[in-house]
Amino acid sequence: MKKHLLIGVSAFVMGAATMAYLNQNARAAGASGAESYRVLELFGDVVQAVEENYVSEVESRKLIESALDGMLTSLDPHSNYLTPEALNDMRDQTRGEYGGLGLEISSEDGVVKVISPMDGTPAFRAGVKPGDYITAVNGQSVIGMSVSEAVKLMRGPPGEAVTLSIAREKTDPFDVKIVREVIKTRSATARMEGDYGYLRVSAFNEKTTEEARTAFVDLRAKNPGMKGLILDLRNNPGGLLDQAVGISDLFLENGEIVSQRGRNPRDIERYNARPGDISGGLPIVVLINTGSASAAEIVAGALQDRKRAELVGLTSFGKGSVQTLIPLRGGADGAIKLTTARYYTPSGRSIQKTGIEPDLEVAQSREEAQAIANRAFQFSEASFRNALKADDGKARVAPHEPAETPPQDFNPRTGDFQLIRAKDVLKNGSVAATPKLPKPTARMAEVVGARASTPTPAKAGATPEAPSPKP
């Protein structure tokens, strides 16, 4: 059974008899097949050499699994091999319940980076931030580990403490102790913000659409005078494609939500909305930022293209591909998560590497604004060395001054500037009708003017990867 995500093989050693069989088949398969089998023979020779000559004894299965994962991750940042244990972890994650810390992490070149802490989880309460690098778990270095290996160290029985060693930009390395809990991810919550409803969707698991529907309907019933809705998708790392379609469908009466296109140009699958807008046509503003990825971008792109909502915040992550989960032997040997298609918004645009640009660009803090001016806030799909190419050679927006920045005396720790501006848009009826704030200070302009070369990603070892299993 295949499952579309917007997020094994038994150990063996190829001996002479096996190679002889493969070579017979290679001759029958022609030149292309012969080359494939020649390389497989090379692989078998390497495995055998390692087993016989490596300084210490090695486990064949671990060698093969590492090779499988390396093969898949070389294709793009989002394809990988899942061991049976990692597959079970992913199933727990998509079901919305597992034991751990509540982190969305990624890895490139063996460096573990935080995509985002999940709302209300131990990691969130401990102050772990998007962009943090995790260098060790309980004193054991995770440098060089795959995401699956790092997740395995962080997950475990609830009630046990886990110490993470964190490297954060412009901060000395530090340790933080976090106690594991049963992570029952409530992916949708709602509340009132003055006259406007506020619906927070933090992830896309199997329960997201129903949780969002229930949360909004209950809130509307208690507040029949609601004048508009703010849909918050900030730092939402994505998840299941069908749930992205489901959330979009809640607020659309008809028409296309998203299409996905595979290797064959004629292989196009379209997802359309069904009649029924649960908000009854209320004006909607969607909040996005650089942590809004994958399924979150499908929702934002659909509502923006269909003129159903306007977007406030920062350009999104830029993951415009779909992964299919393909179990091996029913999951007994794990599974492969393989990029099988690109997705396109209703207007036919691919946002791969470029992201979705908001209708009103607003930085959450002055520090964030300066980071964007200095290096385009490099935490994005475009940071990956082996990311799929952007559609038609399009490029992500270059380093620049954000259109709006909080005033000097605004405290981002006690206030939410992007949310304030979203309410201003609803109050005034549209982005176009909303009075714009004064341009940022001269200091910000100086930061931009000081750029002398193409910015490079901040180094604590590597740039980020897309959403992966959560610890």
Side-chain angles (χ1 to χ4, degrees), residues 74-145:
S74 72
L75 299 174
D76 67 79
H78 313 297
S79 296
N80 65 295
Y81 168 72
L82 302 175
T83 64
E85 295 79 11
L87 177 59
N88 288 333
D89 287 344
M90 176 168 282
R91 286 169 172 164
D92 289 342
Q93 177 181 316
T94 58
R95 281 194 293 264
E97 181 175 332
Y98 59 92
L101 308 179
L103 281 173
E104 182 77 31
I105 64 172
S106 63
S107 175
E108 184 175 290
D109 294 333
V111 179
V112 177
K113 190 168 185 177
V114 175
I115 297 290
S116 65
M118 300 165 62
D119 291 355
T121 61
F124 180 88
R125 296 194 299 270
V128 180
K129 296 182 178 181
D132 283 349
Y133 291 93
I134 299 174
T135 59
V137 178
N138 289 332
Q140 180 178 346
S141 173
V142 295
I143 304 298
M145 286 189 182

Side-chain angles (χ1 to χ4, degrees), residues 5-332:
L5 304 170
L6 290 173
I7 30 177
V9 177
S10 299
F12 63 94
V13 177
M14 294 185 176
T18 303
M19 287 301 104
Y21 172 78
L22 292 177
N23 285 332
Q24 291 174 6
N25 283 277
R27 287 192 290 272
S32 177
E35 175 63 15
S36 296
Y37 284 112
R38 189 192 71 78
V39 177
L40 282 174
E41 185 174 3
L42 172 63
F43 177 78
D45 291 343
V46 172
V47 171
Q48 185 172 356
V50 171
E51 287 196 322
E52 293 177 352
N53 301 293
Y54 188 65
V55 65
S56 58
E57 189 173 343
V58 295
E59 184 181 340
S60 296
R61 185 180 185 94
K62 185 175 181 180
L63 279 179
I64 303 300
E65 289 176 345
S66 297
L68 292 173
D69 193 52
M71 173 180 66
L72 292 166
T73 56
S74 72
L75 299 174
D76 67 79
H78 313 297
S79 296
N80 65 295
Y81 168 72
L82 302 175
T83 64
E85 295 79 11
L87 177 59
N88 288 333
D89 287 344
M90 176 168 282
R91 286 169 172 164
D92 289 342
Q93 177 181 316
T94 58
R95 281 194 293 264
E97 181 175 332
Y98 59 92
L101 308 179
L103 281 173
E104 182 77 31
I105 64 172
S106 63
S107 175
E108 184 175 290
D109 294 333
V111 179
V112 177
K113 190 168 185 177
V114 175
I115 297 290
S116 65
M118 300 165 62
D119 291 355
T121 61
F124 180 88
R125 296 194 299 270
V128 180
K129 296 182 178 181
D132 283 349
Y133 291 93
I134 299 174
T135 59
V137 178
N138 289 332
Q140 180 178 346
S141 173
V142 295
I143 304 298
M145 286 189 182
S146 67
V147 170
S148 298
E149 290 172 323
V151 166
K152 189 178 296 185
L153 290 177
M154 286 180 262
R155 283 194 177 183
E160 291 184 356
V162 178
T163 299
L164 302 183
S165 298
I166 303 289
R168 180 178 295 168
E169 190 174 356
K170 297 181 180 179
T171 302
D172 291 335
F174 61 93
D175 289 345
V176 58
K177 182 177 288 187
I178 309 174
V179 178
R180 293 192 191 105
E181 294 179 4
V182 175
I183 307 298
K184 294 183 178 180
T185 55
R186 185 167 181 79
S187 56
T189 57
R191 67 174 190 264
M192 291 298 294
E193 284 286 338
D195 292 332
Y196 309 109
Y198 171 90
L199 178 61
R200 166 66 178 164
V201 177
S202 59
F204 289 88
N205 60 42
E206 294 175 357
K207 305 173 184 177
T208 300
T209 300
E210 194 52 44
E211 286 181 354
R213 182 195 303 274
T214 300
F216 177 80
V217 170
D218 289 349
L219 186 69
R220 184 72 183 276
K222 296 174 183 175
N223 301 273
M226 185 187 297
K227 295 181 179 179
L229 175 66
I230 297 166
L231 175 60
D232 190 352
L233 300 177
R234 292 174 296 179
N235 295 323
N236 182 320
L240 300 177
L241 173 62
D242 65 336
Q243 296 299 306
V245 172
I247 291 292
S248 303
D249 193 11
L250 292 180
F251 306 107
L252 293 171
E253 287 284 358
N254 51 50
E256 185 173 301
I257 292 172
V258 66
S259 64
Q260 64 178 51
R261 308 176 192 179
R263 179 190 299 180
N264 188 330
R266 293 174 296 181
D267 182 15
I268 302 176
E269 188 169 358
R270 301 183 186 278
Y271 298 85
N272 297 308
R274 299 164 295 180
D277 175 353
I278 65 169
S279 76
L282 284 176
I284 299 175
V285 168
V286 179
L287 287 171
I288 60 170
N289 64 6
T290 54
S292 304
S294 191
E297 293 174 287
I298 287 178
V299 176
L303 298 182
Q304 185 183 52
D305 278 6
R306 299 294 308 282
K307 310 298 182 186
R308 183 63 187 89
E310 291 190 290
L311 276 50
V312 171
L314 299 173
T315 300
S316 62
F317 190 82
K319 179 181 178 290
S321 60
V322 178
Q323 284 67 49
T324 300
L325 191 65
I326 306 173
L328 303 174
R329 286 205 313 122

